[in-house]
Amino acid sequence: MWMEPSVYPQLSKDGDIIIGGIFSFHSSWEVTDLIYLVKPQPLKCMSLDVKALQYSQSLMFAVEEINNSSSLLPGVSLGYKIYDSCTSKAVGVQVAMALVNGNEKLVSSEVCTKPAQVQAIIGETFSSASMAIAKSIGPFSIPLISHSATCECLSDKKKYPSFLRTIPSDYHQSRALAEMVRHFGWTWVGAIRRDDDYGNSGMAAFTQAAQQWDICLEYSLPFSKTYSQEKVLRIIEQIKSSTSRVIVGFVDPSDIEILLDVFFEHNITGYQWVGTEAWILNPLLATLDKHNILQGAIGLAVPKAKVTGSAIFTKYWETIFHCKYKAKNDSEDSPSCTGEEELSEMNNIFTDMSLMPYFNNVYKGVYAIAHTLHDLLGCKETCSTKKQPDPLTFLEQLRMVRFKTKEGEEIYFDKNGDPAARYEVINWQTSKERQHEFVTVGLYDSTFPVNSRLTLNLSSIVWAQNTNKVPISVCSESCPTGTRKAVQKGKPLCCFDCIPCAEGEISNITDSIKCEQCYQDYWSNTHRNECIKKETEYLSYEETMGILLTAVSIVGAFMTLVILIIFFKYKNTPIVKAHNSELSFLLLFSLTLCFLCSLTFIGQPSEWSCMLRHTAFGINFVLCISCVLGKTIVVLMAFRATLPGSNVMKWFGPPQQRLSVLAFTLIQVLICVLWLIISPPFPFKNQKLYKDKIILECHLGSSIGFWAVLGYIGLLASLCFLLAFLARKLPDNFNEAKFITFSMLIFCAVWITFIPSYVSSPGKFTVAVEIFAILASSFGLLFCIFLPKCYIIILKPEKNTKKQLIGKIQNK
């Protein structure tokens, strides 16, 4: 059964100021919009849409309520003219022009010259039709207030200057959907969109918001009821071959109705659906979903609302429930209305309140017009005039209107003519009776701070396949701490490999896009998720090597002191006197210091220990070698003095010996002083040798100073070795030249091998090599020079006589 659209309003009421209404009471099947615009002709309207009747009821209810109000527009009556657009954009434009110029014939050749007949228009339901109407009446500054058109494109005030709406823009819905999807950890999703302005614009906004939340679309497929079977099959194949388990549906209920059967036929089930306000709260769709394709769907819906009111609502309620609100002394027999009757229990399509939020949007649109008029007409106890305001003035005032509903909700429009975005998060659940239920599980409010806009009750959500576990839909599993994401070549950002952080780098959050370098004194742990302070390494007194070297140093110093005591006790014996007891005591003292100075190399380097260790070592060893050199010269001079007529000993007596030792030592002191003044050694953290630990060492400061100290010691040792070698065969039972030669041979061998070992040894072993060289050379001098004498003094006292000392000379 079909009918032609009436040339007159479907519903109307006279008033001082008229409000227009455009709703799709019927569907148009026979004539396309393009043909209708080129050559207007009778249009066949079919299939009555009950929702349009309910929208009309909301408009009429609001008008009646305002007319009965004594506080809003007192003395001014509102009227309405409501037309049927027949779901045709062309018809919508025609009826809009009829409302604007008062020409009630839809098909007319008359020129539109009349002044505006309506103050504003409520409608249209669909975005495409609203775009066409808004573009047509925009030049006349007649406001079009939509209760249901959500396309973001309508926020463009250059194209649609007079368009406003009481439903949030898809811009906010898209961002809310993206935020919700990210909240559940779904970074890899598919999408199906309606192939029109609503679907394409909404999906574009969602895609943009998704990118900001690091969400990737595996596919975004357009769909239309007019698509061929081949096109639909391509969509099915792409969904079946995908790996994402979440589908975002930017479609309307009629599209989903078709897809439900197709999906069931091709066994596309178990997907988690995310819906828009267009279909998530549709009870008819829930009834048609017999195979639970949409079970567990979650989406956004315009918040539920209750329109409470006066006489007309009372009458409406009494008519539905066949009851009556009785006054006192009312004797009628009809049952009493309680006001708590359930509309959901009425099996009547006209009492379906599932779309109450949209009815409320119509209601708020009418009230926005009324409050604007109230301000412009100067209404207080009564309005000063009933004259219809100028359209442009009214439009500008309408954009600035701000008021509260009876329920306390604040109504206003932003600069784009959009209201504040508030949504309920709806979850499709199945009751025990196998019926779909729409359960509110959260809220979204764009007026709140970014991190507080979305609130969810996760425990009350039932997901796809009737499970309580949140579905997983990711291209790649999250990268754990200690790794970073590396995007797979040729794939979206959500598809990545997890690459372990390099040594010295960490990532302490999941899905990190880069690894952070640890600070200089820190290093990554084995899991690469935490920077830990680098291990510091130095030769300490607590470790085995440090303990052994300390023990050897103390033993060497103790042995030297014991020998010193022995020599002091037997200082008057021939063997002590014959070998220059003064130089021997000084040599033993310097050897004691040599053993002890090795202790300055052990322990954590400090400023004073770094300067002390090398200078003390250099000066003590020069003092030691100077004494040995003095003893060697004394041996040579002593035997030259035995030759007839020789007086050489007067040139190298005790004063000269002391002076030579002092002179040789002062030269080393001068070298050390210059070193400490110009570029002294200092504590240094060596981080180049090892990556994961710090070597605490003494930097030489000036390498020249260090090698000058060693070079001077080597020069004296070489000279001493040469002189001792020359004196090794002199006739003396107690000739110590051969022992000095052997000790200098050990000394030189130790320090020659020290150089390559010192340069190549890593970390604390460098210090250990230097200590070993000091101890080895010190023990070499101690044992070679003094051990034979102690042997004679302690174990062979019969040889410690003057007779034994000169016996060999006499024999010669």
Side-chain angles (χ1 to χ4, degrees):
M1 180 177 181
W2 58 270
M3 60 176 289
E4 293 183 12
S6 172
V7 296
Y8 297 105
Q10 301 288 105
L11 299 164
S12 64
K13 177 184 175 66
D14 290 332
D16 297 323
I17 297 175
I18 304 299
I19 297 175
I22 303 175
F23 304 110
S24 301
F25 291 95
H26 302 87
S27 301
S28 61
W29 287 10
E30 298 295 327
V31 180
T32 65
D33 289 333
L34 181 60
I35 295 173
Y36 191 89
L37 288 171
V38 173
K39 186 180 179 181
Q41 53 185 290
L43 187 69
K44 295 180 179 181
C45 290
M46 309 179 72
S47 179
L48 176 65
D49 188 350
V50 176
K51 293 194 296 291
L53 293 176
Q54 292 172 312
Y55 296 148
S56 301
Q57 279 183 326
S58 299
L59 190 153
M60 293 186 292
F61 168 57
V63 168
E64 291 293 338
E65 192 175 58
I66 293 166
N67 287 341
N68 292 330
S69 172
S70 59
S71 60
L72 187 59
L73 290 177
V76 177
S77 64
L78 296 180
Y80 51 80
K81 289 183 179 180
I82 302 174
Y83 280 91
D84 180 8
S85 68
C86 233
T87 64
S88 167
K89 288 184 284 186
V91 175
V93 172
Q94 289 289 334
V95 298
M97 299 309 297
L99 287 168
V100 169
N101 60 35
N103 186 356
E104 295 182 338
K105 291 184 179 182
L106 296 185
V107 183
S108 172
S109 60
E110 293 182 24
V111 180
C112 301
T113 57
K114 295 181 182 181
Q117 299 297 303
V118 294
Q119 189 68 70
I121 299 173
I122 301 293
E124 230 273 9
T125 303
F126 302 105
S127 294
S128 297
S130 296
M131 291 165 64
I133 296 171
K135 192 174 288 186
S136 300
I137 66 174
F140 304 105
S141 299
I142 302 297
L144 175 68
I145 306 177
S146 177
H147 57 285
S148 180
T150 58
C151 181
E152 183 189 358
C153 54
L154 288 163
S155 297
D156 186 349
K157 295 299 105 179
K158 292 183 178 179
K159 287 185 178 181
Y160 313 104
S162 66
F163 179 82
L164 299 97
R165 52 186 157 195
T166 52
I167 189 170
S169 163
D170 280 339
Y171 169 80
H172 296 291
Q173 180 174 213
S174 300
R175 298 187 73 81
L177 285 173
E179 188 172 342
M180 185 172 67
V181 166
R182 190 65 182 85
H183 182 86
F184 296 130
W186 302 329
T187 57
W188 186 238
V189 300
I192 299 177
R193 67 183 189 276
R194 183 180 174 86
D195 194 5
D196 64 0
D197 296 318
Y198 164 74
N200 293 327
S201 175
M203 187 51 64
F206 175 79
T207 303
Q208 184 179 6
Q211 289 175 349
Q212 296 174 3
W213 287 98
D214 296 329
I215 301 168
C216 299
L217 286 177
E218 184 177 10
Y219 56 84
S220 178
L221 306 173
F223 176 79
S224 175
K225 291 178 286 188
T226 61
Y227 274 10
S228 65
Q229 187 177 3
E230 184 182 353
K231 261 190 172 183
V232 174
L233 286 175
R234 282 204 295 268
I235 293 173
I236 296 300
E237 287 303 318
Q238 191 155 354
I239 295 174
K240 290 178 74 173
S241 63
S242 66
T243 57
S244 59
R245 303 301 302 170
V246 174
I247 301 176
V248 179
F250 241 103
V251 289
D252 72 6
S254 60
D255 300 319
I256 295 284
E257 287 178 24
I258 297 171
L259 289 172
L260 285 178
D261 293 330
V262 178
F263 279 18
F264 177 72
E265 182 183 344
H266 291 85
N267 196 29
I268 299 179
T269 58
Y271 284 83
Q272 177 63 50
W273 281 83
V274 178
T276 63
E277 48 79 30
W279 64 269
I280 196 64
L281 207 59
N282 190 290
L284 179 60
L285 191 60
T287 304
L288 294 173
D289 185 21
K290 298 177 182 178
H291 305 293
N292 293 328
I293 302 293
L294 302 177
Q295 201 278 331
I298 194 166
L300 302 176
V302 180
K304 298 181 181 69
K306 179 184 282 188
V307 180
T308 59
S310 53
I312 189 167
F313 189 74
T314 301
K315 186 176 180 181
Y316 172 70
W317 199 267
E318 289 177 339
T319 303
I320 293 173
F321 291 103
H322 304 292
C323 62
K324 193 168 184 68
Y325 285 96
K326 294 181 180 181
K328 291 182 179 180
N329 304 320
D330 194 337
S331 59
E332 292 189 23
D333 296 330
S334 56
S336 299
C337 295
T338 65
E340 297 181 0
E341 289 81 2
E342 289 291 338
L343 285 169
S344 59
E345 295 176 359
M346 300 296 294
N347 295 322
N348 187 328
I349 59 173
F350 295 98
T351 62
D352 179 12
M353 291 293 107
S354 63
L355 297 178
M356 177 59 84
Y358 299 94
F359 308 155
N360 191 39
N361 287 344
V362 174
Y363 179 85
K364 289 187 288 189
V366 176
Y367 262 83
I369 296 170
H371 279 276
T372 304
L373 287 171
H374 188 88
D375 295 337
L376 287 176
L377 298 179
C379 300
K380 293 182 181 178
E381 292 183 2
T382 184
C383 296
S384 58
T385 180
K386 297 182 181 181
K387 184 181 178 182
Q388 183 171 313
D390 171 72
L392 182 58
T393 303
F394 178 80
L395 176 60
E396 290 176 350
Q397 183 64 31
L398 179 61
R399 288 173 178 166
M400 296 184 293
V401 73
R402 184 181 285 262
F403 64 95
K404 284 188 177 181
T405 65
K406 294 177 182 178
E407 289 72 36
E409 181 184 359
E410 189 171 20
I411 307 299
Y412 61 92
F413 301 103
D414 64 14
K415 62 180 181 179
N416 297 320
D418 299 329
R422 296 182 181 90
Y423 298 100
E424 289 182 349
V425 182
I426 302 297
N427 180 218
W428 281 32
Q429 298 183 12
T430 306
S431 66
K432 294 179 180 179
E433 293 76 24
R434 309 295 295 173
Q435 297 295 320
H436 279 301
E437 293 180 345
F438 303 117
V439 180
T440 301
V441 294
L443 296 170
Y444 179 89
D445 193 331
S446 65
T447 61
F448 288 180
V450 175
N451 295 330
S452 306
R453 290 177 180 173
L454 181 66
T455 56
L456 291 166
N457 183 8
L458 295 177
S459 61
S460 62
I461 300 176
V462 177
W463 303 101
Q465 297 181 321
N466 203 31
T467 178
N468 292 322
K469 186 178 180 182
V470 181
I472 297 174
S473 185
V474 294
C475 182
S476 300
E477 292 293 334
S478 293
C479 285
T481 56
T483 63
R484 63 175 178 85
K485 295 196 296 187
V487 179
Q488 295 175 1
K489 190 174 181 181
K491 291 188 177 182
L493 293 175
C494 300
C495 301
F496 49 81
D497 296 318
C498 298
I499 308 298
C501 292
E503 289 184 341
E505 296 181 345
I506 65 157
S507 68
N508 53 12
I509 57 173
T510 57
D511 290 331
S512 176
I513 58 174
K514 66 176 182 178
C515 296
E516 300 291 340
Q517 184 75 39
C518 289
Y519 290 121
Q520 189 174 20
D521 290 350
Y522 291 81
W523 194 249
S524 56
N525 60 2
T526 54
H527 299 294
R528 305 284 195 273
N529 59 4
E530 183 183 5
C531 284
I532 55 176
K533 200 167 182 64
K534 285 183 180 179
E535 177 189 351
T536 55
E537 183 181 276
Y538 58 90
L539 188 60
S540 70
Y541 290 103
E542 288 79 19
E543 62 181 296
T544 305
M545 187 186 302
I547 293 171
L548 288 175
L549 291 174
T550 301
V552 172
S553 300
I554 294 173
V555 168
F558 180 74
M559 289 177 64
T560 307
L561 289 174
V562 169
I563 293 173
L564 181 63
I565 293 170
I566 293 172
F567 266 57
F568 183 77
K569 184 177 181 181
Y570 296 95
K571 62 182 178 179
N572 294 320
T573 59
I575 197 168
V576 174
K577 285 183 175 181
H579 295 98
N580 199 329
S581 60
E582 187 174 326
L583 286 180
S584 294
F585 287 126
L586 187 59
L587 177 58
L588 287 170
F589 173 73
S590 63
L591 280 174
T592 303
L593 293 179
C594 285
F595 281 116
L596 293 177
C597 78
S598 63
L599 298 177
T600 61
F601 288 81
I602 304 174
Q604 184 172 342
S606 62
E607 191 172 347
W608 70 267
S609 66
C610 287
M611 291 189 291
L612 180 64
R613 63 173 58 172
H614 290 107
T615 53
F617 147 72
I619 293 171
N620 286 329
F621 259 87
V622 166
L623 179 61
C624 182
I625 301 299
S626 299
C627 292
V628 176
L629 183 60
K631 289 170 71 67
T632 306
I633 294 174
V634 166
V635 171
L636 286 174
M637 295 301 105
F639 280 95
R640 285 189 175 275
T642 59
L643 298 176
S646 176
N647 60 352
V648 71
M649 281 304 296
K650 74 176 182 177
W651 297 108
F652 203 72
Q656 289 79 12
Q657 294 172 19
R658 298 190 199 100
L659 187 62
S660 65
V661 170
L662 179 63
F664 288 136
T665 305
L666 284 177
I667 294 173
Q668 183 74 307
V669 170
L670 180 62
I671 294 172
C672 290
V673 169
L674 290 174
W675 183 13
L676 294 178
I677 292 174
I678 296 172
S679 182
F682 57 88
F684 173 67
K685 294 180 179 180
N686 187 346
Q687 302 190 45
K688 294 182 179 179
L689 192 60
Y690 300 106
K691 294 179 179 179
D692 57 343
K693 56 184 175 181
I694 301 172
I695 305 300
L696 298 181
E697 59 186 19
C698 287
H699 193 278
L700 295 175
S702 171
S703 298
I704 295 175
F706 174 70
W707 293 111
V709 168
L710 286 185
Y712 183 63
I713 294 173
L715 176 65
L716 291 181
S718 300
L719 180 62
C720 186
F721 173 75
L722 180 63
L723 293 177
F725 181 78
L726 294 175
R728 73 189 187 283
K729 291 184 178 181
L730 291 177
D732 184 3
N733 283 345
F734 302 103
N735 181 13
E736 62 180 349
K738 55 179 173 291
F739 299 116
I740 293 175
T741 303
F742 190 64
S743 67
M744 287 298 102
L745 184 63
I746 295 174
F747 184 92
C748 292
V750 167
W751 287 101
I752 289 172
T753 55
F754 160 77
I755 294 174
S757 301
Y758 180 84
V759 172
S760 61
S761 296
K764 62 184 178 182
F765 297 102
T766 303
V767 178
V769 165
E770 192 167 357
I771 294 173
F772 177 79
I774 293 171
L775 295 177
S777 54
S778 298
F779 275 113
L781 289 172
L782 183 67
F783 289 161
C784 292
I785 295 176
F786 293 101
L787 202 60
K789 297 179 180 64
C790 289
Y791 173 77
I792 292 174
I793 293 171
I794 302 301
L795 300 178
K796 299 287 184 180
E798 66 275 9
K799 292 185 178 181
N800 190 8
T801 61
K802 189 172 182 181
K803 181 179 179 180
Q804 286 290 328
L805 180 66
I806 62 174
K808 192 171 183 178
I809 298 175
Q810 290 175 344
N811 291 333
K812 282 285 184 180

